[in-house]
Amino acid sequence: MPAPQPWFRKEEVIAIITKARKVCNPQELAMLAVSTTYGCRRSELADIRKDDLDFGAKTITIYARKGGRVATQLLPDEIIPYVQNYEYPPLALSAVSLIFKRIIDKAFEPRQGYGWHSFRRSVATELRNAGVDDEDIYSFLRW
């Protein structure tokens, strides 16, 4: 049987966000806000551009490399200040991985095997715990 995939408990995500607000730079905060809200894959984070954010309509467009799905999601007011303050330049996947490491080093405790996908699993778990049906979870997470 394969080992369980690492994910953050809700309390851990809250603790990471709370500490990150005090110690992380705009790039790290934007990536953390998008990842913990939409459960983005590393590749999806790398592909976000400033033009993908529409602050008038309060939406973000996320392009999934897996399956080529495009999803336009609502931007909650709580994350707008964090996503507005970043320019979203092209990033290599390795750079996105380093951003995760910097966030965790600053705002939590480093853990073996954790990465952006850990937040994705956390979002899926919280949606399931809230009673959202699997088909809606799959759609929201661009599966």
Side-chain angles (χ1 to χ4, degrees):
M1 176 176 232
Q5 297 298 309
W7 58 282
F8 295 105
R9 294 185 330 274
K10 179 179 181 179
E11 301 77 27
E12 292 173 324
V13 173
I14 292 168
I16 292 167
I17 292 168
T18 301
K19 179 82 182 274
R21 287 178 176 157
K22 298 173 188 168
V23 299
C24 288
N25 66 41
Q27 178 188 51
E28 295 160 350
L29 290 171
M31 294 283 195
L32 182 62
V34 171
S35 179
T36 57
T37 303
Y38 306 105
C40 289
R41 298 174 178 96
R42 181 177 64 153
S43 60
E44 294 169 344
L45 290 169
D47 289 345
I48 295 173
R49 299 294 172 265
K50 194 72 165 181
D51 291 346
D52 297 329
L53 297 143
D54 182 339
F55 296 109
K58 294 186 177 182
T59 61
I60 182 171
T61 301
I62 300 170
Y63 299 90
R65 287 191 189 175
K66 287 188 175 184
R69 289 207 47 223
V70 177
T72 299
Q73 312 263 8
L74 293 175
L75 274 173
D77 290 334
E78 295 82 3
I79 73 166
I80 288 175
Y82 303 102
V83 299
Q84 273 182 321
N85 292 325
Y86 180 55
E87 290 302 316
Y88 301 91
L91 293 172
L93 294 180
S94 59
V96 178
S97 294
L98 288 174
I99 293 166
F100 175 85
K101 182 181 180 336
R102 286 196 324 252
I103 292 168
I104 297 305
D105 286 349
K106 291 177 182 181
F108 201 61
E109 55 203 45
R111 292 186 178 173
Q112 189 72 22
Y114 280 68
W116 291 112
H117 223 82
S118 301
F119 287 126
R120 184 173 176 79
R121 290 184 203 100
S122 299
V123 170
T125 299
E126 287 305 313
L127 290 170
R128 186 165 286 124
N129 289 345
V132 177
D133 70 60
D134 286 348
E135 188 173 314
D136 290 335
I137 293 171
Y138 299 154
S139 177
F140 180 76
L141 292 174
R142 300 154 312 279
W143 280 333

